Amino acid sequence: MVDLPGITKVAVGDQPADIEVQIRKMILTYIQRPSAMILALTAANTDLANSDALKLAREVDPTGVRTIGVVTKLDLMDQGTHAGEILQNRTIPLRLGYVGIVNRSQKDIDQGKTIEQHLKSETEFVSGHPVYSQLQNVGAPQLGRFLNRELLRHIAAVLPDLKHRVVSQRDRHIAELDKMGDWKSHSVETVSYTHLTLPTKRIV
């Protein structure tokens, strides 16, 4: 898992003037890979339509087959508002949908609040909320289970192509070595081939 930075719009301090361009290029380097799953994080107290994460994700994954929306900071929304429409995939629909979570604040971290204590607080917040308590996709534990399931599905989907590319590259290098003569007899180490085994267990 690679934790990528958010887009910086204005250079601060000794940051280069083109910091936004540099960060954008770095992010695209990772998320444009077809084998990569994209977690597009957006704070609940911001406008989803202006989400840089979703915008970048759509550029490289227009069909949304590998983009998961994560709505953070559910507890920081204005009183009387909630992210229920987003979490029910009605605002800006994603094929894989959204999961909502409550973040540990900097104050929590400074005061030594543990992950276990935070998870308990999050559970209490969700269970006591009139909207979130009715949804199955809110909370860090739910996010963990969701990511595990989707990652297994994604691996099963991309592994055949990965195997094909690895075998093709191996065969190409062996063909190049064969042109150089009897390289096997001069090899210091025993040549071995790595076989990728496709998962046979059905993923549900």
Side-chain angles (χ1 to χ4, degrees), residues 85-134:
E85 291 295 304
I86 297 174
L87 294 174
Q88 293 176 76
N89 214 17
R90 296 173 180 169
T91 305
I92 300 179
L94 292 177
R95 182 173 296 190
L96 298 180
Y98 296 80
V99 179
I101 61 172
V102 175
N103 299 70
R104 238 186 353 160
S105 67
Q106 187 59 50
K107 180 179 179 181
D108 291 336
I109 296 173
D110 293 340
Q111 293 180 348
K113 188 174 185 178
T114 65
I115 296 295
E116 291 75 15
Q117 292 172 330
H118 170 71
L119 290 175
K120 182 180 179 180
S121 298
E122 181 187 54
T123 300
E124 293 174 350
F125 170 79
V126 174
S127 61
H129 195 281
V131 175
Y132 302 146
S133 60
Q134 305 303 311

Side-chain angles (χ1 to χ4, degrees), residues 144-178:
R145 287 191 289 269
F146 181 78
L147 292 181
N148 183 63
R149 183 180 72 247
E150 292 303 325
L151 182 60
L152 288 175
R153 289 182 186 276
H154 188 65
I155 290 174
V158 303
L159 193 55
D161 179 64
L162 177 61
K163 176 185 178 181
H164 174 73
R165 287 189 284 119
V166 169
V167 171
S168 296
Q169 187 176 38
R170 179 203 67 186
D171 292 344
R172 185 170 64 254
H173 289 320
I174 289 177
E176 292 175 355
L177 288 171
D178 286 340

